[in-house]
Amino acid sequence: MSKKTKIVLFTEINSKLGSPFLRILSAHPMIELLMVITSPPNKECDYFINDRHSVNIEKEAISLGVTIKRPEKVSSPETIISIKEANPDYFIVANFQQLLTRELLDIPNAMPINFHPSPLPRYAGLAPFYWMIKNGETKTSISAIKMDEGLDTGDIIMQRSIHFSEKETCIGLRTFQEDQNVLMLLDLIPLMVNNNFSYKPQNMQNRSYFGRPKSSDYHLNFQLEAQVLERHIRAAYRHPGAYFLTKKNLKIVVLSANVTNIPSNIEESGEIRYSKGKIFVATKDFWLQLLTIDMDGIEVPASLLINNEKTDNRTNILENIHI
């Protein structure tokens, strides 16, 4: 029987990417999953916090008989010693948000490999699915790279192209990318087992880097075009959501909207109009219909904001928007 390839998996405790990676690596006949390194106690990846269905990597690993470690710092001496003693051939990093130091990266006998949801060198950094939708991309890729000390700067081992429509939300694109990453892992495993793959440097002249979105990135500025605002809303779905403030400083989180073909033709962007129980907001060019909003953590029709006593006396609260 051939010698198994030994792997350490790094992922977040609630990662929707780490969960299928864990199951595949623990069950593969040519892989020995030595351990899983995940988030420290009381810390979760915010990508997945408000998802309808959650995962728990620790519980899954225990049920599969896989060693699980939750260090406060992955670079702590005791963590490094335990990983060295396991003598892995590869690291597989799938949605893990602590930096791996040079000392850690030097441990695998073959190499550390990171799966990143973007067409590197473009969209390096955090939450690329958010930024790609917000920027109006219609095609992208996922990447597997040989890790180095930079942020998503390592040589490219494999990429898989993805085309998507103009209607995906952030969660929809992220989920599609997760599924494609699972397929790419299945393609990569036999190459890792046989140590039979090549890689090429990234062209850093094409690099773009995006950090974690800030609160201001989620703010809806109705002085922009309607199509741009609709993208912003889809990019921010579901958590924390794109929002605007009324002039009474009430925060409205918009979860979906529709660009109409009706020109706004008014001087003041952000003006609200009502028609047959529907809410419309004037943008730079067209009227934007608000479809759904967040109300106490639940997605509800935006029309509930109109003359509805169940909105805590917020009757017609959209009369004025603070731009």
Side-chain angles (χ1 to χ4, degrees):
M1 183 177 179
S2 300
K3 182 180 177 182
K4 290 187 176 184
T5 299
K6 297 182 292 184
I7 288 177
V8 174
L9 173 64
F10 295 76
T11 190
E12 296 294 307
I13 189 68
N14 57 333
S15 173
K16 293 287 184 68
L17 180 60
S19 177
F21 272 45
L22 167 59
R23 286 182 271 116
I24 288 170
L25 294 171
S26 65
H28 198 283
M30 294 303 297
I31 298 294
E32 180 183 356
L33 183 56
L34 301 170
M35 67 180 73
V36 178
I37 309 294
T38 190
S39 321
N42 302 316
K43 183 175 176 60
E44 293 183 313
C45 177
D46 56 6
Y47 294 168
F48 311 98
I49 287 176
N50 277 28
D51 280 12
R52 183 174 299 176
H53 303 289
S54 62
V55 301
N56 186 307
I57 295 297
E58 182 174 35
K59 289 182 179 179
E60 290 185 24
I62 291 172
S63 70
L64 294 168
V66 178
T67 299
I68 184 90
K69 293 185 180 295
R70 304 189 65 178
E72 287 292 337
K73 290 187 177 180
V74 69
S75 58
S76 65
E78 56 270 24
T79 303
I80 291 174
I81 290 172
S82 65
I83 296 174
K84 281 183 176 179
E85 289 176 346
N87 192 31
D89 297 307
Y90 293 93
F91 287 170
I92 295 293
V93 179
N95 179 220
F96 187 70
Q97 296 186 344
Q98 292 189 55
L99 291 176
L100 303 193
T101 61
R102 180 78 265 170
E103 189 175 6
L104 277 167
L105 295 173
D106 286 340
I107 291 176
N109 297 319
M111 69 179 66
I113 297 175
N114 179 45
F115 285 73
H116 185 76
S118 86
L120 292 173
R122 299 179 64 231
Y123 289 98
L126 296 172
F129 27 82
Y130 166 84
W131 295 109
M132 285 187 282
I133 290 179
K134 188 169 186 178
N135 293 341
E137 303 285 355
T138 57
K139 60 181 180 179
T140 182
S141 300
I142 54 174
S143 307
I145 63 172
K146 178 184 178 183
M147 294 181 70
D148 59 21
E149 289 181 277
L151 293 173
D152 304 323
T153 56
D155 294 348
I156 294 173
I157 298 170
M158 188 178 289
Q159 285 188 322
R160 183 182 292 270
S161 296
I162 297 174
H163 292 264
F164 54 99
S165 72
E166 297 180 4
K167 292 300 177 184
E168 278 87 0
T169 65
C170 177
I171 291 178
L173 177 57
R174 191 202 76 203
T175 301
F176 186 38
Q177 289 177 317
E178 288 160 2
D179 293 342
Q180 294 300 308
N181 266 303
V182 169
L183 295 176
M184 192 161 66
L185 173 64
L186 292 171
D187 287 342
L188 189 57
I189 284 176
L191 302 181
M192 291 192 301
V193 168
N194 295 309
N195 196 21
N196 182 28
F197 56 86
S198 58
Y199 38 88
K200 61 180 181 180
Q202 297 183 42
N203 181 354
M204 290 304 173
Q205 290 184 338
N206 297 328
R207 178 176 168 88
S208 59
Y209 180 88
F210 293 85
R212 187 182 300 278
K214 302 184 291 293
S215 177
S216 58
D217 293 312
Y218 297 112
H219 179 252
L220 292 171
N221 180 355
F222 289 103
Q223 294 173 333
L224 298 174
E225 293 85 356
Q227 194 67 55
V228 172
L229 289 161
E230 192 272 341
R231 291 203 312 264
H232 289 190
I233 291 166
R234 286 188 289 111
Y237 186 91
R238 171 79 168 77
H239 173 77
Y243 73 94
F244 63 86
L245 299 174
T246 69
K247 288 190 175 179
K248 292 183 179 179
N249 212 36
L250 183 65
K251 183 177 181 179
I252 306 296
V253 175
V254 183
L255 298 181
S256 64
N258 180 51
V259 179
T260 73
N261 59 2
I262 307 170
S264 53
N265 292 332
I266 60 174
E267 293 184 3
E268 185 177 356
S269 298
E271 180 178 324
I272 296 292
R273 289 186 183 173
Y274 309 93
S275 176
K276 298 179 180 179
K278 299 177 181 179
I279 301 175
F280 299 87
V281 184
T283 72
K284 181 179 180 180
D285 50 5
F286 294 98
W287 288 91
L288 187 72
Q289 181 187 355
L290 306 186
L291 298 177
T292 62
I293 61 169
D294 181 278
M295 189 173 288
D296 299 324
I298 300 172
E299 185 168 5
V300 299
S303 58
L304 290 184
L305 291 170
I306 305 174
N307 295 321
N308 190 336
E309 293 180 357
K310 293 183 179 180
T311 59
D312 300 326
N313 297 320
R314 291 178 287 185
T315 302
N316 288 347
I317 59 174
L318 300 179
E319 290 293 347
N320 296 289
I321 291 178
H322 178 71
I323 299 297

